[in-house]
């Protein structure tokens, strides 16, 4: 039954995405570990970590596209779930440091010793085990999303009001995690990681393994999202996006459908954050910043809202541009990003992938998927 669910969402577009990810999972380790360093085909470990970071952002964009593109929920706070997943993994990595910290305390992280904490807080217990941290990466963002969605959807908060309270949620968490008495490192966050599963986190093989794990997580998440969209559940979600009151009038419990998609999306974002932290080496409250959530919205809009593959494409392209332009033109980058969002909104409402779909649809013998061409209600007649 599970295999049938995964296969249900595998169309031509999914095949292309999964093939590209499979090629990356094989080519990147070979080009990094086995191709000589003086070869033009060699990839440095720095590049591998950078690619891994892009794919973590792609997973976050995929999670956001599931609720925004197919369910009509514009979240301006998805960075909160991403950061919580990152903190869960960061707590595990901090516990692995042990007595090798600056103060040599085998139990307390350095920042707790510096702040004169006497014992480990209860909510840090269990994070010395990887399996526990891996469960928390899913459970904590999922539980927060479920509680938030339960009250928001049952209260029938929709549209711009829902977007505003999602942004308020992530801003509240930003302020909370800045406090030293929260026990999460305050402004500095969690850093100075050394091992993961007993392997040196700075070793080339570990970096490559983290990249491959990110590729696998992105591929699995894509298959899950595709399966949901292709199922009857997905069709109800699309109907909710376009005419929620009509769907409710037909007898559907619309709040439960939205709550499921919202919670699933938060769990995906948490996994993205957990994979992001060991590859960049730090997690701090800045990840909760509302600007991070807005950037994720831009990635999805640029790539193509409601296309899944477009969300991945937009996240990778925008972040590659960000890496280049913040070095070459640091004063102009934010203006360029804002201009790109305005241009895409005005001239490419379906994003880059939508433009490609329109061009290829004109080729003889091509038929577009009804769902991929479904236009969100708020774009009709705009």
């Amino acid at each position: 039954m599970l295999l049938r669910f995964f296969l249900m969402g595998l169309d031509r577009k999914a095949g292309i995405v999964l093939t590209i990810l499979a090629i990356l999972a094989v080519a990147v380790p070979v080009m990094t570990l086995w191709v000589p360093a003086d070869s033009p085909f060699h990839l440095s470990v720095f590049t591998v970590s950078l690619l891994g970071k892009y794919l973590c952002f792609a997973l976050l964009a995929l999670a956001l596209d599931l609720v925004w593109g197919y369910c009509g929920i514009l979240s301006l706070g998805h960075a909160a779930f991403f950061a919580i997943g990152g903190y869960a993994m960061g707590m595990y990595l901090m516990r692995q440091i042990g007595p090798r910290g600056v103060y040599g305390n085998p139990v307390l992280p350095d920042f707790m010793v510096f702040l004169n904490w006497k014992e480990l807080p209860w909510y840090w217990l269990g994070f010395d085990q990887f399996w526990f941290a891996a469960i928390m990466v899913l459970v904590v963002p999922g539980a927060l999303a479920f509680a938030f969605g339960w009250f928001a959807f049952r209260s029938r908060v929709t549209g711009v009001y829902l977007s505003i309270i999602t942004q308020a949620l992530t801003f509240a968490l930003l302020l909370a995690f800045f406090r030293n008495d929260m026990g999460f490192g305050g402004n500095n966050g969690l850093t100075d990681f050394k091992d993961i599963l007993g392997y040196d986190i700075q070793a080339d093989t570990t970096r490559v393994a983290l990249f491959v794990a990110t590729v696998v997580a992105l591929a699995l998440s894509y298959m899950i999202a595709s399966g949901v969209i292709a199922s009857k559940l997905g069709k109800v979600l699309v109907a909710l996006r376009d005419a929620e009151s009509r769907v409710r009038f037909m007898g559907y419990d619309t709040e439960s459908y939205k709550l499921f998609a919202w919670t699933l999306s938060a769990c995906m974002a948490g996994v993205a954050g957990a994979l992001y932290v060991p590859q960049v080496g730090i997690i701090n409250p800045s990840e909760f910043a509302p600007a991070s959530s807005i950037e994720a919205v831009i990635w999805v809009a640029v790539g193509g809202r409601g296309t899944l593959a477009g969300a991945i494409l937009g996240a990778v392209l925008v972040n590659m541009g960000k890496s280049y332009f913040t070095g070459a033109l640091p004063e102009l980058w934010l203006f360029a990003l804002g201009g790109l969002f305005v241009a895409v909104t005005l001239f490419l409402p379906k994003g880059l992938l939508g433009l490609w779909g329109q061009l290829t649809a004109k080729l003889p013998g091509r038929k577009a998927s009804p769902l991929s061409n479904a236009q969100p209600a708020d774009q009709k007649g705009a």
Side-chain angles (χ1 to χ4, degrees):
M1 184 176 178
L2 188 62
L3 180 63
R4 182 183 176 187
F5 170 79
F6 281 120
L7 294 177
M8 187 165 42
L10 294 183
D11 55 7
R12 180 174 173 273
K13 192 183 296 180
I16 294 173
V17 172
L18 296 178
T19 301
I20 293 174
L21 292 177
I23 292 172
L24 284 175
V26 174
V28 169
V30 171
M31 295 171 71
T32 305
L33 300 177
W34 287 285
V35 173
D38 56 352
S39 170
F41 297 102
H42 175 75
L43 277 180
S44 67
V45 175
F46 173 78
T47 305
V48 173
S49 296
L50 198 60
L51 291 174
K53 187 176 77 170
Y54 294 159
L55 295 187
C56 290
F57 289 148
L59 181 49
L60 172 61
L62 181 73
L64 178 61
D65 194 30
L66 180 62
V67 292
W68 185 32
Y70 292 94
C71 201
I73 303 171
L74 174 56
S75 170
L76 296 180
H78 248 50
F81 308 124
F82 179 87
I84 289 174
Y87 266 97
M89 180 55 67
M91 292 166 73
Y92 161 75
L93 295 173
M94 290 297 288
R95 294 297 309 275
Q96 298 307 297
I97 296 175
R100 291 172 295 173
V102 175
Y103 297 102
N105 192 304
V107 177
L108 297 180
D110 281 341
F111 72 87
M112 289 187 185
V113 179
F114 178 78
L115 294 173
N116 203 28
W117 289 56
K118 299 303 181 187
E119 59 183 15
L120 202 65
W122 63 268
Y123 45 84
W124 276 74
L125 299 177
F127 279 96
D128 55 333
Q129 301 293 327
F130 180 80
W131 64 267
F132 182 81
I135 293 174
M136 291 299 105
V137 163
L138 293 170
V139 169
V140 180
L144 176 64
F146 185 86
F148 178 87
W150 175 271
F151 289 108
F153 300 144
R154 295 289 168 182
S155 302
R156 298 190 179 177
V157 180
T158 59
V160 66
Y161 302 104
L162 182 61
S163 301
I164 290 173
I165 63 172
T166 56
Q167 194 165 54
L169 169 71
T170 194
F171 189 67
L173 289 170
L174 166 72
L175 297 178
F177 275 72
F178 259 121
R179 295 164 59 94
N180 284 326
D181 56 3
M182 281 286 289
F184 294 108
N187 183 44
N188 295 320
L190 310 178
T191 187
D192 193 28
F193 309 132
K194 300 187 185 305
D195 297 332
I196 180 169
L197 289 171
Y199 295 96
D200 181 1
I201 205 167
Q202 299 298 334
D204 293 357
T205 51
T206 308
R207 292 284 178 173
V208 170
L210 287 169
F211 173 82
V212 174
T214 306
V215 172
V216 171
L218 181 57
L220 286 175
S221 298
Y222 187 92
M223 293 174 69
I224 292 172
S226 297
V228 169
I229 297 306
S231 67
K232 293 180 181 178
L233 167 64
K235 292 177 174 58
V236 174
L237 293 178
V238 173
L240 278 174
R241 178 194 66 186
D242 293 339
E244 182 176 349
S245 57
R246 295 182 187 178
V247 177
R248 185 182 295 115
F249 182 74
M250 292 172 68
Y252 286 93
D253 183 1
T254 57
E255 287 76 21
S256 297
Y257 284 94
K258 290 199 293 186
L259 188 59
F260 172 79
W262 174 257
T263 306
L264 175 63
S265 173
C267 292
M268 288 183 181
V271 172
L275 290 165
Y276 170 83
V277 169
Q279 296 185 80
V280 300
I282 187 171
I283 177 73
N284 59 36
S286 67
E287 299 297 339
F288 287 102
S292 299
S293 297
I294 295 173
E295 277 196 48
V297 171
I298 295 176
W299 304 338
V300 176
V302 170
R305 174 189 170 194
T307 57
L308 293 185
I312 296 175
L313 178 68
V316 173
L317 289 181
V318 173
N319 280 288
M320 288 178 68
K322 181 178 182 179
S323 297
Y324 175 76
F325 286 110
T326 49
L329 302 167
E331 297 86 3
L332 299 178
W333 161 245
L334 286 178
F335 296 100
L337 184 64
L340 178 65
F341 182 63
V342 172
V344 167
T345 303
L346 291 178
F347 304 111
L348 297 173
K350 292 185 178 180
L352 297 176
L353 208 65
L355 176 64
W356 174 255
Q358 289 174 1
L359 294 175
T360 55
K362 295 180 180 178
L363 296 176
R366 295 296 305 275
K367 289 184 178 180
S369 165
L371 270 183
S372 64
N373 280 340
Q375 193 175 25
D378 58 355
Q379 293 180 7
K380 292 177 179 177

